[in-house]
Amino acid sequence: MLTFAGKGYSPEFISNFDRIAGLIASGAQSVEIVLAPDDICAPLLGDPTCHCRNASLSERDRFAAEALVDLLHQPIDQNAKVHLTPEILARMRAAFAAGTTRKACNGCQWSPTCDGIARDSFRETRLLCG
Ligand code: SF4
């Protein structure tokens, strides 16, 4: 979400992600963590070949969650609520740009894109709050 720039798997995926980013930007600052495909994945789940249930994705999610435990000082597991205040988003962006929360990104095809967005101070991101 930190680096979502309106690119992705399909127009439906992008539109849905824009909707969720808009909810957060308009003040719905609490997101619930789920250990499964989530609301962002929803447009992909009708495709039997979608990767959202792959073991590799579960491992990537686990790495991302572990990084956020240290950063946000709270458990990041099933049903945890994360309050995405501007201050927390700023902290998450700084850590992402510094590379300290990016173990989950190893081998990701989108890494060059996300690297560029972070280098450009997240100006391209569609999550505009903060
Ligand atoms: S590089 Fe991949 S895993 Fe990392 S933030 Fe970007 S899309 Fe997510």
Side-chain angles (χ1 to χ4, degrees):
M1 182 171 286
L2 292 178
T3 54
F4 174 60
K7 299 169 186 167
Y9 302 99
S10 67
E12 293 77 19
F13 176 87
I14 293 166
S15 171
N16 184 55
F17 210 146
D18 266 338
R19 181 184 63 81
I20 292 169
L23 285 172
I24 292 169
S26 67
Q29 295 177 334
S30 179
V31 301
E32 182 174 352
I33 304 298
V34 294
L35 303 178
D38 61 16
D39 289 348
I40 292 170
C41 309
L44 303 175
L45 299 180
D47 176 354
T49 66
C50 92
H51 66 189
C52 300
R53 296 184 184 88
N54 289 358
S56 62
L57 268 287
S58 298
E59 183 179 58
R60 204 182 288 284
D61 284 351
R62 184 168 56 79
F63 289 151
E66 286 170 0
L68 289 181
V69 167
D70 287 342
L71 188 72
L72 303 181
H73 311 297
Q74 72 167 85
I76 304 293
D77 49 25
Q78 180 74 21
N79 303 126
K81 299 273 196 319
V82 177
H83 297 280
L84 293 177
T85 63
E87 185 275 332
I88 284 179
L89 279 171
R91 203 185 323 157
M92 291 170 70
R93 286 174 177 151
F96 188 94
T100 57
T101 52
R102 296 203 55 187
K103 185 175 178 182
C105 301
N106 286 338
C108 176
Q109 63 176 324
W110 292 96
S111 269
T113 301
C114 294
D115 292 348
I117 290 169
R119 259 196 318 273
D120 192 35
S121 304
F122 299 89
R123 274 188 278 268
E124 198 185 337
T125 186
R126 301 275 268 262
L127 181 60
L128 298 176
C129 61

